[in-house]
Amino acid sequence: MQTPNILIVEDEVVTRTTLKSLFEAEGYNVFEAENGHEMHDFFQNNQINLVIMDINLPGKNGLLLAREVRDRKNVGLIFLTGRDNDVDRILGLEIGADDYLTKPFNPRELTIRARNLLSRTSSASEDDDLPSKVNFNGWTLDGDSRSLISPVAKEFRLPRSEFRALHLFLSNPGKILTREQLIMEMTGRELRPNDRTVDVTIRRIRKHFESQPDDEELIVTIHGEGYRFCGEVD
């Protein structure tokens, strides 16, 4: 298996150097970028598998750059930042980050999360248990482009978390899926206390469906248990 390439996007030299040493000690190839411009240069010349990025960056901040990273099909994204508040955390997840850690971070926790995320992104065939296209209630989930296509042919590019959550729902129509099951499918990690990753992801998926206001509710909340997909898979 090819050694994964990790890109650290961080303007603080000490933090960037610490992260580089940490992941090199784990056997990864590590690149460093101070800003979005340097990040783009590395993407043009290297096959990046995981981005670990600060929110506060010169020029385009991490939240803006995350929109560009999410369009790359097999690239994981972890926010690592000193901004520890729910607004930033939820916004980062809504934009499409796979995970979020605040400084000061536990090095072992970060490496474990990175390894779990890389295991989800390392293989292009990770979703082979579903056909490349799945039709349901007039909608299409396209695994080749990782997109959701509406009944009127409007296309929504999905970040990995949304795609994998919807993939799991379509694999289990009518079944109640717990938050624990969904977070494991989405990120490869366990649910943490006060973790809103699943709820934010479901809200984003529902917003796509709301583009067709006459459609019935396809994902319903089962209070105290989780969520259920109530549509019909063709």
Side-chain angles (χ1 to χ4, degrees):
M1 178 180 176
Q2 186 175 1
T3 302
N5 294 328
I6 295 177
L7 175 61
I8 310 296
V9 187
E10 166 66 69
D11 62 322
E12 294 180 359
V13 177
V14 174
T15 302
R16 195 170 66 241
T17 302
T18 299
L19 290 170
K20 186 175 190 296
S21 299
L22 175 66
F23 283 101
E24 283 182 337
E26 294 287 324
Y28 298 108
N29 299 321
V30 184
F31 302 92
E32 302 174 69
E34 186 176 346
N35 51 49
H37 178 74
E38 292 182 3
M39 182 191 81
H40 293 144
D41 288 343
F42 279 110
F43 270 121
Q44 288 180 353
N45 300 305
N46 302 275
Q47 180 64 48
I48 302 299
N49 306 107
L50 172 64
V51 175
I52 299 176
M53 180 159 51
D54 191 14
I55 285 182
N56 283 329
L57 293 171
K60 284 187 177 181
N61 65 33
L63 295 174
L64 293 174
L65 293 174
R67 299 180 186 276
E68 302 171 23
V69 174
R70 62 175 279 186
D71 287 335
R72 298 176 180 274
K73 185 173 181 180
N74 293 313
V75 180
L77 173 60
I78 296 177
F79 273 134
L80 182 66
T81 177
R83 297 171 63 167
D84 186 14
N85 64 69
D86 284 343
V87 174
D88 285 333
R89 190 188 311 273
I90 292 171
L91 184 56
L93 294 170
E94 285 188 333
I95 289 173
D98 296 290
D99 211 342
Y100 190 116
L101 275 174
T102 55
K103 304 171 186 175
F105 57 88
N106 182 308
R108 177 159 178 76
E109 181 181 7
L110 177 58
T111 56
I112 289 174
R113 291 196 195 185
R115 183 168 63 248
N116 289 342
L117 183 53
L118 282 166
S119 73
R120 292 283 178 180
T121 61
S122 61
S123 174
S125 60
E126 61 183 10
D127 296 306
D128 280 349
D129 48 332
L130 268 186
S132 60
K133 292 186 178 181
V134 182
N135 300 311
F136 61 98
N137 296 77
W139 293 78
T140 299
L141 182 67
D142 189 334
D144 293 332
S145 61
R146 207 174 72 192
S147 60
L148 179 64
I149 303 170
S150 77
V152 294
K154 183 176 182 179
E155 183 175 357
F156 302 93
R157 293 291 301 274
L158 302 180
R160 184 178 302 98
S161 57
E162 291 178 37
F163 179 82
R164 292 197 64 83
L166 190 50
H167 165 271
L168 188 61
F169 280 120
L170 296 178
S171 300
N172 298 275
K175 296 181 181 179
I176 298 174
L177 298 178
T178 66
R179 286 174 173 80
E180 289 79 7
Q181 288 174 299
L182 286 161
I183 196 71
M184 183 59 69
E185 177 69 13
M186 289 158 48
T187 68
R189 63 171 173 81
E190 296 181 351
L191 190 69
R192 302 190 296 267
N194 303 315
D195 192 335
R196 299 188 61 188
T197 304
V198 171
D199 304 302
V200 169
T201 301
I202 299 302
R203 185 166 72 226
R204 285 185 56 83
I205 294 173
R206 284 171 168 167
K207 284 183 180 179
H208 300 321
F209 292 144
E210 288 170 3
S211 66
Q212 296 294 112
D214 295 332
D215 281 4
E216 61 183 293
E217 188 173 10
L218 295 178
I219 299 176
V220 300
T221 302
I222 309 299
H223 294 288
E225 298 186 62
Y227 296 93
R228 180 169 60 196
F229 175 74
C230 297
E232 295 184 2
V233 179
D234 295 348

